[in-house]
Amino acid sequence: MHPLFAATPSTVTASTGRRWPHLAAALLILVGAVSGCSADEPDPARGPTAASVVRSAFDPLRLRLRVGWTPDDVPTVTTGTGTTHQTVFYARRDGLLNVSVTAYAPGFTSEERGQQPLETHPAPPVGDKPSTWDTGGVLTWQWAPGARATVRVTGNDSGTDAETRVIAQRVAASVTMDGDKPVTLPFTVSAPGGLPVSATDVVTEPDGTYRTILTFSDKSIWVDRDPNKAEVWVRVDKAAHREGDKRGPATATTDGHPTILLGRTVVFLDVSGHRVEAATLTPSAATRLPEAQLTTLLRGLRVTPQAWTATPVVP
């Protein structure tokens, strides 16, 4: 299971920018890790500094990242999009081979999320682009000036380090940023407090269950550490719990749904076989959207498991 979905709102804030958190060992942080070197030692795979590149944000509801090749029997498990990143995570069902691919928007880097650069050394070019390996096994190159991409392969217990690197290099060579795939979600909801969408997460499991998150924020969730930013997530999981869950027991009923009320988090259980949650991830958001407004937000949410939609935000 994606660690992203095991975190509480408080741990989310610490891990993404918050979370992506969301997330202390969050997968999306793990897959997004990129390498670095000392300030006086140039790294061609890192290229222009963020300060020298005009930032250009992604549309979080469109997936531009395309991966043309992955090993056999390694299906897509997780997709994550945001204004600053695009991530796809693949995992074999036995857990023995995982592949994560992340592309950053121009001008954004993982160091801005507080990650410490690791020592790097040259790797074979990705196409005609210089690349590097870091000591964490991450292959990094630039898909555009000032815009990094990374590949990490883990869990290849049956292969040698050299074989694992060959897989990473082949995956990297197949990566393009010319996609325009709509991100679809199994629900519709109004924008909390009028905030714009800043990120999406979709995790699918072999048994047909899934966990989905739509994050709203007035700032980038990954790189903007403004303590005054407002950030809210709406999460919908395919799960039929009725009495309670890890958040605690249901203490109320709303429109016939067992409800967990925790102040900054509200959960409705058994909504057409789904668990739905709204949570304020920052103090500013909690001020703007108290518990009563989170409850109202969820009352207006519609679960649409038979018709995932590319327009999840409705008036």
Side-chain angles (χ1 to χ4, degrees):
M1 185 179 79
H2 199 312
L4 168 67
F5 299 101
T8 63
S10 60
T11 58
V12 168
T13 301
S15 62
T16 63
R18 101 178 125 171
R19 140 209 244 200
W20 241 346
H22 99 269
L23 313 154
L27 173 64
L28 290 184
I29 289 184
L30 170 64
V31 301
V34 296
S35 46
C37 57
S38 64
D40 58 354
E41 184 180 350
D43 183 343
R46 294 165 60 86
T49 64
S52 67
V53 175
V54 176
R55 292 188 167 187
S56 177
F58 290 135
D59 178 351
L61 290 175
R62 312 292 294 190
L63 183 64
R64 290 182 56 185
L65 174 61
R66 290 174 41 165
V67 181
W69 180 86
T70 57
D72 293 339
D73 194 29
V74 183
T76 305
V77 174
T78 302
T79 59
T81 64
T83 54
T84 59
H85 73 286
Q86 306 253 290
T87 293
V88 183
F89 179 75
Y90 304 84
R92 212 165 69 186
R93 291 188 179 183
D94 59 13
L96 295 182
L97 184 61
N98 304 315
V99 178
S100 58
V101 184
T102 296
Y104 292 94
F108 293 96
T109 69
S110 65
E111 284 86 344
E112 295 175 81
R113 305 203 319 275
Q115 293 180 219
Q116 295 300 312
L118 300 177
E119 181 182 351
T120 66
H121 55 87
V126 175
D128 60 354
K129 308 295 185 182
S131 68
T132 60
W133 293 108
D134 72 16
T135 53
V138 177
L139 178 64
T140 299
W141 75 102
Q142 291 206 13
W143 65 268
R148 297 185 210 170
T150 67
V151 172
R152 181 168 184 172
V153 178
T154 58
N156 189 23
D157 295 338
S158 61
T160 65
D161 288 346
E163 291 170 336
T164 298
R165 292 192 173 198
V166 167
I167 292 172
Q169 290 166 331
R170 187 171 177 185
V171 171
S174 77
V175 170
T176 62
M177 294 299 294
D178 58 357
D180 189 31
K181 181 180 179 180
V183 175
T184 60
L185 295 167
F187 64 93
T188 60
V189 69
S190 60
L195 294 170
V197 174
S198 60
T200 71
D201 298 295
V202 177
V203 176
T204 56
E205 301 288 357
D207 62 3
T209 60
Y210 46 79
R211 292 171 297 285
T212 62
I213 291 178
L214 187 60
T215 301
F216 299 83
S217 179
D218 55 358
K219 305 292 176 83
S220 163
I221 62 171
W222 270 24
V223 302
D224 197 308
R225 301 182 180 212
D226 183 349
N228 296 316
K229 71 176 177 179
E231 189 166 285
V232 180
W233 83 14
V234 175
R235 169 176 166 172
V236 173
D237 301 349
K238 187 175 182 181
H241 305 299
R242 281 199 59 84
E243 303 303 323
D245 65 6
K246 64 185 179 184
R247 296 276 194 244
T251 57
T253 301
T254 306
D255 299 338
H257 306 299
T259 303
I260 302 171
L261 300 172
L262 298 173
R264 289 177 56 172
T265 300
V266 175
V267 179
F268 287 2
L269 303 175
D270 196 21
V271 181
S272 301
H274 291 70
R275 173 192 185 279
V276 302
E277 173 183 320
T280 52
L281 307 179
T282 60
S284 175
T287 299
R288 293 171 62 168
L289 291 162
E291 183 180 86
Q293 290 191 37
L294 292 179
T295 302
T296 299
L297 178 70
L298 289 187
R299 292 186 69 188
L301 183 148
R302 297 291 178 266
V303 177
T304 59
Q306 303 306 316
W308 288 45
T309 178
T311 54
V313 182
V314 297

